[in-house]
Amino acid sequence: SRLEECILKYNNSARSNYRTWKTLQLISIIAGFVTSTIAIISLIQGPWSYFAKLICISLPFLGSAAAALNSFLKPAESYLQKV
């Protein structure tokens, strides 16, 4: 029926918002920890130190972008409103 179809769409949308929220949150948290770890390891000079520095620059950018998307899109609020 039409009501069951609407409920199914609603549940799928709520699950999608929740996954988006959790994914963006995890990216922003993990990026910080990985950057710190690589920064400490990169103190040891080696053939990959340039690559480590590049990662230390790009991961905070990725984490900030994920946090910004999380705040602009507000998937958590959308999820909580739908549940």
Side-chain angles (χ1 to χ4, degrees), residues 39-80:
I40 290 170
I41 292 172
S42 72
L43 292 175
I44 302 168
Q45 294 297 322
W48 56 275
S49 65
Y50 174 77
F51 181 68
K53 289 175 186 174
L54 185 64
I55 290 175
C56 287
I57 292 170
S58 60
L59 277 179
F61 175 78
L62 179 66
S64 297
L69 278 173
N70 216 4
S71 67
F72 288 132
L73 297 178
K74 299 182 182 179
E77 292 175 12
S78 298
Y79 172 74
L80 293 174

Side-chain angles (χ1 to χ4, degrees), residues 6-53:
C6 288
I7 291 172
L8 182 62
K9 285 183 181 180
Y10 177 84
N11 287 337
N12 289 340
S13 177
R15 267 191 241 111
S16 175
N17 281 343
Y18 181 74
R19 281 193 303 265
T20 302
W21 170 51
K22 280 298 194 188
T23 301
L24 291 173
Q25 202 171 37
L26 280 173
I27 288 171
S28 63
I29 291 170
I30 290 173
F33 285 115
V34 171
T35 301
S36 299
T37 305
I38 292 175
I40 290 170
I41 292 172
S42 72
L43 292 175
I44 302 168
Q45 294 297 322
W48 56 275
S49 65
Y50 174 77
F51 181 68
K53 289 175 186 174

